[in-house]
Amino acid sequence: MRRCAWPLLRLPARAGLVLRHGGAAAARLRPVAAASSFSSSSVGEDGSSRAPDTSLFVPVPLKPVGDGAEEDVGAELTRPLDKGEVLKNLNKFYKRKEIQRLGAENGLDARLFHQAFISFRKYIMESSSVSADLHIILNDICCGAGNVCLLGHVDDLFPFFLRHAKQIFPMLDCMDDLRKISDLRLPPNWYPDARAIQRKIIFHAGPTNSGKTYHAIQRFLSAKSGIYCGPLKLLAHEIFQKSNDANVPCDLVTGEERVYANEDARQAPHIACTIEMCSTNTPYEVAVIDEIQMIRDPARGWAWTRALLGLCAEEIHVCGEPAAIDLVTELMYTTGEEVEVRNYKRLTPLTVLDHALESLDNLQPGDCVVCFSKNDIYSISRQIEARGLECAVIYGSLPPGTKLEQAKKFNDPNDPCKILVATDAIGMGLNLCIKRIIFNSIVKPTVNEKGEKEIDSITTSQALQIAGRAGRYGSSFKQGEVTTMHRDDLMQLKEILNESVRPVKAAGLHPTPEQIEMFAYHLPDATLSNLIDIFVSLSQVDGLYFVCNIDDFKFLADMIQHIPLNLRSRYVFCTAPLNRKEPFVCTTLLKFARQFSRNEPLTFDWLCRHTKWPLAAPKNIKELVHLEAVHDVFDLYLWLSYRFIDMFPDAALVRDIQKKLDDIIQVGVCNITKLIRASQYAAAPGAAEVVSEDFPLSRTKRDTRVVSDRQGVKSTEALSIAVEVPEGRRVKNLKGYRSATRQEDLKSHGRGSLANRLLREGLLTQEMLRQLESEWQDQHRNGTYGLRSKRDDQSSSNERGKKKK
């Protein structure tokens, strides 16, 4: 049977192509005016368009047609295809420059063109039958090799290829819509309620401890209604307490908690909340946005942008660093609102000392050693308590209650604890009576805007925020001091503090659930992680904004992708506040999502079984870290309970056991050096334990202490001031212990070096040993011998000489 051109009449005019036959160069392709919305010539509203990152476009798999799926009409009209000839012609099609150029004009760059062709070829070769029109074209191409009549040319495959490409890459057909959805150039327009009123913006600018937030809060308290938006639960809780103490009814709203001032759970006119929880629909007389410089934060900056642009308040009081004044002014210019700036100066002097601490022996009451890692916290706190001093410990992953208790202990003038070891978590949220800030290091690991980890010197803003905690106004210390632990860091710290703070250049933005849902409508087969990637790739922002880092969101999206959830629920789970470095918490979120997908409520009993509650007090650091992770799991449950009330029904019971867990963690932190030592013993099994279990938790004023866990169970823990040394001798102070240890080491030299024994006994770590070696070498080079007198050196030298003889 002779086929003629009638099947070509059935071909749709896709991609605006006119098929022409004739001559030896048959089947040339001529593009006409109609172009794909993803054409390289397409432009945005501003006259330019950024090319999308096509590596993010994940092809939708198309299954080949199996045997018996449908009748092979094409084979009946013509004949069965010779798959060998088909393969040869498909490869010719792929290599033609004209085809590649047409693909580019229709949105298929080299990567997409290659992926689409591989899928197209696989579909044809593995299908038992193809559509009748495609079958006829393929047959004509195979039969027309060497003929110049009306038979087919490989270029005739392009409409079918393009149709297949749009099936596996559906975004090619809706690129204009996707660009409009992801257009983030006019964020003020997202908040029509705020644009409907004329707001007064007041910027309270000043350094730490300048009273800027105090003045804003005074206006908040005097207003008929108000909202305070802070970066931390601790800050929101502090304002909640102050307001209610001042007889101004105020509710507390955080991601995990709702506390009403009124017993009947009526909403109070004032609210203190974490900034992510602020409402942009409720009208207020006064709003306070604290720490506005965090609008540049790579992960959370979007929350400050949303509050600044969207709060419906007659007065917006913004508190923060002067470095954010210009950006806030520019942002408010786009909304037609003026900014009044009120500048404040520090209320107490802050002095950078000319000498480093160099030794923990030089610590004084009111000192705070700032570290940037937990390991440094553990090491420094143990060395301090080995000197007979008691110290408080504060770091980021501790529960808020434990942080407050440690701060209270340090601030209490009647408590023997006079030293604080902390991370930069003290930079905001805690009121501390610190005389001197000591930077153990000025290098800190950070995450940049791209989500990449970097280790670099702290910024001027960070250094000022931490250093400014010294000499707090109203405390017993009228002047603050700042220095470093190591001499080499001091000059660099001075340079950092003397530099001007970099101005805040841009405000963070984040895609909303509604925007992602619209994306999903156009790309129903894409994963949530892929949707968010494509959104960011296509998003357009002007110079005043940036898109926040979404790595944590994507991590959770990939983790729960295999669990069947609707898009809105999946989005909520992916925005849950958790640390992805904690495997136990991440695993629990996965279990939460799986249970949720089965429509099975997550009850109190289920949670207790999963976390093995009740839990005992920690015996080592590993157990303390696990308790902190369990506390985070309880936080996660409470956070989800306010978003899915029916599925997480036992929030009140979970909050009760979370308070008990907080008490257990407090006991562990109070005994942190004992836990460190236990961990080191566990790391070196079989090591002889020479030092008594009470060392180095020695105290000078109290022999015992009763610790209550608030559950009616009290444990008495002996805190001996004496330390056992070999030969049954006991000494009553650290100096005596050192002397006795030195003499015993000389007597037992044949049983191993002092360093090895201290390592075995957990009194010395490898890091401390390296530091001691470095200091010893420096002292010998400089001709000094630390804190030891020449007499001690000579005496020690004489003893070594006698021993050699």
Short mmCIF file of all heavy atoms in Angstrom, two decimals, residues 548-567:
data_model
loop_
_atom_site.label_atom_id
_atom_site.label_comp_id
_atom_site.label_asym_id
_atom_site.label_seq_id
_atom_site.Cartn_x
_atom_site.Cartn_y
_atom_site.Cartn_z
N CYS A 548 16.00 33.58 51.27
CA CYS A 548 16.67 32.92 52.39
C CYS A 548 17.11 31.50 52.03
O CYS A 548 16.55 30.87 51.12
CB CYS A 548 15.76 32.87 53.62
SG CYS A 548 15.58 34.46 54.45
N ASN A 549 18.09 31.04 52.76
CA ASN A 549 18.60 29.68 52.56
C ASN A 549 17.52 28.65 52.88
O ASN A 549 16.82 28.76 53.90
CB ASN A 549 19.82 29.47 53.45
CG ASN A 549 20.41 28.10 53.30
OD1 ASN A 549 20.05 27.20 54.04
ND2 ASN A 549 21.31 27.94 52.36
N ILE A 550 17.38 27.65 52.02
CA ILE A 550 16.30 26.67 52.17
C ILE A 550 16.84 25.26 52.36
O ILE A 550 16.09 24.28 52.18
CB ILE A 550 15.38 26.70 50.93
CG1 ILE A 550 16.22 26.53 49.65
CG2 ILE A 550 14.57 27.98 50.87
CD1 ILE A 550 15.42 26.33 48.40
N ASP A 551 18.10 25.12 52.74
CA ASP A 551 18.69 23.79 52.86
C ASP A 551 17.98 22.93 53.90
O ASP A 551 17.74 21.73 53.69
CB ASP A 551 20.18 23.89 53.20
CG ASP A 551 21.01 24.25 51.98
OD1 ASP A 551 20.43 24.28 50.88
OD2 ASP A 551 22.22 24.50 52.11
N ASP A 552 17.66 23.52 55.06
CA ASP A 552 16.96 22.76 56.10
C ASP A 552 15.59 22.30 55.62
O ASP A 552 15.17 21.16 55.88
CB ASP A 552 16.82 23.60 57.38
CG ASP A 552 18.14 23.77 58.10
OD1 ASP A 552 19.09 23.02 57.79
OD2 ASP A 552 18.24 24.66 58.97
N PHE A 553 14.89 23.18 54.92
CA PHE A 553 13.57 22.84 54.37
C PHE A 553 13.70 21.68 53.40
O PHE A 553 12.94 20.70 53.46
CB PHE A 553 12.99 24.07 53.68
CG PHE A 553 11.59 23.89 53.16
CD1 PHE A 553 10.51 24.32 53.90
CD2 PHE A 553 11.36 23.29 51.93
CE1 PHE A 553 9.21 24.16 53.42
CE2 PHE A 553 10.08 23.11 51.45
CZ PHE A 553 9.00 23.56 52.20
N LYS A 554 14.66 21.76 52.50
CA LYS A 554 14.85 20.71 51.50
C LYS A 554 15.27 19.39 52.16
O LYS A 554 14.87 18.31 51.71
CB LYS A 554 15.90 21.14 50.48
CG LYS A 554 15.42 22.18 49.50
CD LYS A 554 16.56 22.67 48.62
CE LYS A 554 17.28 21.53 47.95
NZ LYS A 554 18.47 21.95 47.21
N PHE A 555 16.10 19.48 53.20
CA PHE A 555 16.54 18.27 53.90
C PHE A 555 15.33 17.51 54.44
O PHE A 555 15.21 16.29 54.27
CB PHE A 555 17.48 18.66 55.03
CG PHE A 555 17.85 17.53 55.95
CD1 PHE A 555 18.85 16.63 55.60
CD2 PHE A 555 17.20 17.36 57.16
CE1 PHE A 555 19.18 15.58 56.44
CE2 PHE A 555 17.52 16.31 58.01
CZ PHE A 555 18.52 15.43 57.64
N LEU A 556 14.42 18.23 55.09
CA LEU A 556 13.23 17.58 55.65
C LEU A 556 12.29 17.11 54.53
O LEU A 556 11.67 16.05 54.64
CB LEU A 556 12.50 18.54 56.59
CG LEU A 556 13.29 18.96 57.84
CD1 LEU A 556 12.46 19.92 58.69
CD2 LEU A 556 13.69 17.76 58.67
N ALA A 557 12.20 17.91 53.46
CA ALA A 557 11.33 17.51 52.35
C ALA A 557 11.80 16.20 51.73
O ALA A 557 10.99 15.31 51.42
CB ALA A 557 11.29 18.62 51.29
N ASP A 558 13.10 16.07 51.54
CA ASP A 558 13.64 14.82 50.98
C ASP A 558 13.46 13.66 51.96
O ASP A 558 13.20 12.52 51.55
CB ASP A 558 15.13 14.99 50.66
CG ASP A 558 15.37 15.89 49.45
OD1 ASP A 558 14.47 15.96 48.60
OD2 ASP A 558 16.43 16.53 49.39
N MET A 559 13.58 13.95 53.25
CA MET A 559 13.50 12.90 54.25
C MET A 559 12.10 12.28 54.32
O MET A 559 11.95 11.07 54.51
CB MET A 559 13.89 13.46 55.62
CG MET A 559 14.02 12.42 56.71
SD MET A 559 14.61 13.12 58.26
CE MET A 559 13.18 14.06 58.79
N ILE A 560 11.06 13.09 54.15
CA ILE A 560 9.69 12.57 54.27
C ILE A 560 9.00 12.43 52.91
O ILE A 560 7.79 12.22 52.86
CB ILE A 560 8.84 13.46 55.20
CG1 ILE A 560 8.66 14.86 54.60
CG2 ILE A 560 9.45 13.55 56.58
CD1 ILE A 560 7.68 15.73 55.37
N GLN A 561 9.77 12.52 51.82
CA GLN A 561 9.16 12.49 50.49
C GLN A 561 8.38 11.20 50.23
O GLN A 561 7.33 11.21 49.59
CB GLN A 561 10.24 12.68 49.42
CG GLN A 561 9.73 12.66 47.99
CD GLN A 561 8.63 13.69 47.74
OE1 GLN A 561 8.73 14.82 48.21
NE2 GLN A 561 7.60 13.31 47.01
N HIS A 562 8.88 10.09 50.74
CA HIS A 562 8.24 8.80 50.46
C HIS A 562 6.96 8.59 51.26
O HIS A 562 6.23 7.62 51.01
CB HIS A 562 9.22 7.67 50.79
CG HIS A 562 9.58 7.59 52.24
ND1 HIS A 562 10.44 8.50 52.85
CD2 HIS A 562 9.19 6.74 53.23
CE1 HIS A 562 10.57 8.19 54.13
NE2 HIS A 562 9.83 7.14 54.39
N ILE A 563 6.67 9.48 52.20
CA ILE A 563 5.46 9.33 53.02
C ILE A 563 4.30 10.05 52.34
O ILE A 563 4.42 11.21 51.95
CB ILE A 563 5.70 9.91 54.43
CG1 ILE A 563 6.83 9.13 55.12
CG2 ILE A 563 4.44 9.87 55.27
CD1 ILE A 563 7.23 9.68 56.46
N PRO A 564 3.16 9.39 52.17
CA PRO A 564 2.02 10.01 51.47
C PRO A 564 1.35 11.10 52.31
O PRO A 564 0.63 10.79 53.27
CB PRO A 564 1.08 8.83 51.21
CG PRO A 564 1.41 7.83 52.28
CD PRO A 564 2.87 7.98 52.56
N LEU A 565 1.59 12.34 51.98
CA LEU A 565 0.98 13.49 52.67
C LEU A 565 0.47 14.46 51.63
O LEU A 565 1.03 14.58 50.53
CB LEU A 565 2.02 14.19 53.56
CG LEU A 565 2.61 13.43 54.74
CD1 LEU A 565 3.80 14.21 55.32
CD2 LEU A 565 1.57 13.21 55.82
N ASN A 566 -0.58 15.20 51.98
CA ASN A 566 -0.99 16.27 51.07
C ASN A 566 0.03 17.41 51.16
O ASN A 566 0.81 17.51 52.11
CB ASN A 566 -2.41 16.76 51.39
CG ASN A 566 -2.51 17.40 52.77
OD1 ASN A 566 -1.82 18.37 53.10
ND2 ASN A 566 -3.38 16.83 53.61
N LEU A 567 0.01 18.27 50.15
CA LEU A 567 1.08 19.26 50.01
C LEU A 567 1.15 20.21 51.20
O LEU A 567 2.23 20.52 51.71
CB LEU A 567 0.90 20.05 48.72
CG LEU A 567 2.00 21.07 48.43
CD1 LEU A 567 3.34 20.37 48.19
CD2 LEU A 567 1.64 21.94 47.23
#
